[in-house]
Amino acid sequence: MRIDAHQHFWQYDPRRHNWITSEMKVLQQDFIPLDLQFILEKNDFDGCIAVQADQSDVETKYLVQLAKEYSFVKGVVGWVDLRASNIDEQLHQYRDEAIIKGFRHIVEGEEDPDFLQRDSFLKGIESLTKHRYTYDLLIRPRHYAGAITCVQSNPNQTFILDHIAKPPIKSREFEEWALFIEELAAFSNVSCKVSGLATEADWKSWRLDDFTQYLGHVFDSFGKDRIMFGSDWPVCLLAASYEESVTIVESKLDAFTTAEKEAFWGLNALKTYNL
């Protein structure tokens, strides 16, 4: 089974989606399951995991409803305020929605480099562990140290790193990111989504070779059983089509065995998200 482990749906609202700037005009429209269903089928994917793009309970409930209507949506990574004093109560309200596999906070938008180390946030992660939810790490370099502390403090929590931590592919910087990946991958409770690559490169003139050292390092660091494919559709459309997003990764899998490829394209996501 092939699973796209990271994509989004939204009904575009310029106020709620104010992160979509004028240079991202291609994203200033609705993206709904019917738009994606044909693309998945064309690329031999059996399903996907829908990930939040707006930090609201309304967003989480919207994705849950879509998953009930479209069977190819196999799981939801929603949003909940992990810093809330009543976080246990909030998570308890979702106990009957088995389609919710985990949660995410858009930490990359937080200027505070210590956001992931805040006591209130760490208590929220502890609640996720207790309720057996995953947590997706969406970060920028300023959050590297905090991410390590957060993961180290929660050894029983399942973490998934989004977009291989968004390395600066366009500027070809490597060392700081590579050291972080090595340190994070040392924790066995962390998996990595190989996603969001083209949007970190030059949107208009990237080449397949631009991604070689980054993908090679992720494969070497996390191994073959803790990596999974994600398209980051429709955000990927800023720099690449869905097919190109697949090709970027597929072109680097020559050394993988058939079993390792099957794990990468779907089985690892099934296991990690308990689909």
Side-chain angles (χ1 to χ4, degrees):
M1 177 176 283
R2 282 163 62 96
I3 298 292
D4 180 342
H6 197 103
Q7 56 76 216
H8 309 283
F9 299 119
W10 61 69
Q11 294 178 318
Y12 178 66
D13 182 314
R15 289 170 298 178
R16 286 194 302 114
H17 300 107
N18 57 13
W19 59 272
I20 302 178
T21 62
S22 57
E23 65 177 343
M24 302 177 179
K25 196 169 183 63
V26 67
L27 302 182
Q28 294 177 345
Q29 58 183 301
D30 295 349
F31 290 94
I32 61 176
L34 286 176
D35 297 323
L36 181 62
Q37 186 170 14
F38 172 75
I39 297 173
L40 290 176
E41 292 173 354
K42 181 181 176 183
N43 289 275
D44 297 322
F45 282 92
D46 301 287
C48 65
I49 296 173
V51 180
Q52 62 83 222
D54 176 51
Q55 300 197 142
S56 69
D57 295 321
V58 171
E59 167 90 340
T60 303
K61 292 173 182 176
Y62 169 66
L63 295 179
V64 167
Q65 185 58 41
L66 291 182
K68 291 178 179 178
E69 295 174 9
Y70 299 92
S71 60
F72 70 87
V73 181
K74 304 298 185 184
V76 166
V77 174
W79 180 86
V80 68
D81 187 357
L82 291 170
R83 298 161 294 176
S85 59
N86 67 337
I87 182 61
D88 275 326
E89 179 182 332
Q90 291 189 53
L91 292 176
H92 188 68
Q93 292 175 0
Y94 288 121
R95 68 190 184 283
D96 295 327
E97 302 293 0
I99 197 68
I100 299 180
K101 303 303 178 180
F103 292 90
R104 182 177 83 156
H105 186 91
I106 303 177
V107 177
E108 70 165 346
E110 301 288 347
E111 291 300 324
D112 181 6
D114 297 324
F115 182 87
L116 288 164
Q117 300 180 71
R118 292 180 183 177
D119 289 342
S120 58
F121 188 84
L122 290 173
K123 288 179 181 177
I125 295 294
E126 290 176 5
S127 293
L128 290 186
T129 307
K130 181 167 63 175
H131 291 271
R132 298 183 179 179
Y133 286 117
T134 64
Y135 180 74
D136 269 45
L137 282 164
L138 177 64
I139 57 175
R140 287 290 183 182
R142 62 181 174 274
H143 305 114
Y144 285 173
I148 296 298
T149 297
C150 181
V151 170
Q152 191 171 37
S153 301
N154 293 277
N156 298 316
Q157 172 62 36
T158 297
F159 291 93
I160 301 100
L161 178 65
D162 288 351
H163 313 323
I164 69 169
K166 295 198 165 189
I169 298 172
K170 183 177 180 179
S171 60
R172 303 184 186 280
E173 297 171 60
F174 183 75
E175 294 302 325
E176 181 187 13
W177 169 85
L179 288 172
F180 167 70
I181 289 295
E182 288 178 19
E183 190 172 1
L184 186 67
F187 296 96
S188 61
N189 56 323
V190 184
S191 295
C192 181
K193 287 183 184 176
V194 181
S195 57
L197 301 175
T199 48
E200 297 307 314
D202 189 310
W203 291 1
K204 298 184 182 300
S205 60
W206 57 263
R207 300 178 303 171
L208 289 177
D209 287 346
D210 294 340
F211 309 101
T212 301
Q213 67 174 340
Y214 299 97
L215 290 175
H217 190 64
V218 164
F219 298 159
D220 290 342
S221 298
F222 281 95
K224 306 297 175 54
D225 61 344
R226 288 190 289 144
I227 53 175
M228 64 191 80
F229 172 76
S231 68
D232 199 24
W233 181 93
V235 180
C236 66
L237 300 179
L238 292 169
S241 67
Y242 194 99
E243 287 75 16
E244 287 173 325
S245 298
V246 171
T247 298
I248 286 171
V249 181
E250 196 167 41
S251 67
K252 310 303 179 187
L253 303 183
D254 289 345
F256 282 45
T257 66
T258 298
E260 288 168 346
K261 289 179 180 178
E262 290 176 349
F264 174 75
W265 291 113
L267 298 183
N268 288 343
L270 291 174
K271 175 184 65 177
T272 304
Y273 281 109
N274 192 29
L275 299 181

